[in-house]
Amino acid sequence: DSTVTRAIEGGGDAARALAYVPGDAYRDWRNFHPRHALNVGRAWRELEDRWMQSAPSA
C-alpha cells in the first residue's frame, strides 16, 4: 500500500503501476504475473480513490 500511495502522491500514472511495485522477490511463484498485475491494479484504484477523497479542494 505504501509504495502505491507514494507513487500516487508523486504524480504516478496507473498505467505504469507495475513499474512502482515490481514484486521481484516473488516472480518465480506459480501464477505470480497475472495475479500480481490484478492485485496492483486493484490496490491502485482503491488507494487512488482514498487519496482523492482526502485531497484538499482547490
Side-chain angles (χ1 to χ4, degrees):
D1 287 3
S2 62
T3 303
V4 172
T5 300
R6 281 193 307 273
I8 292 168
E9 289 173 348
D13 182 0
R16 295 183 21 89
L18 287 175
Y20 306 116
V21 189
D24 292 335
Y26 309 103
R27 69 177 175 265
D28 295 329
W29 288 15
R30 182 179 53 192
N31 296 320
F32 165 76
H33 295 287
R35 288 182 186 210
H36 182 62
L38 290 171
N39 287 335
V40 170
R42 178 192 48 78
W44 188 282
R45 287 187 306 276
E46 289 177 10
L47 294 168
E48 183 178 49
D49 184 53
R50 188 180 310 159
W51 177 78
M52 289 178 72
Q53 289 178 17
S54 67
S57 57

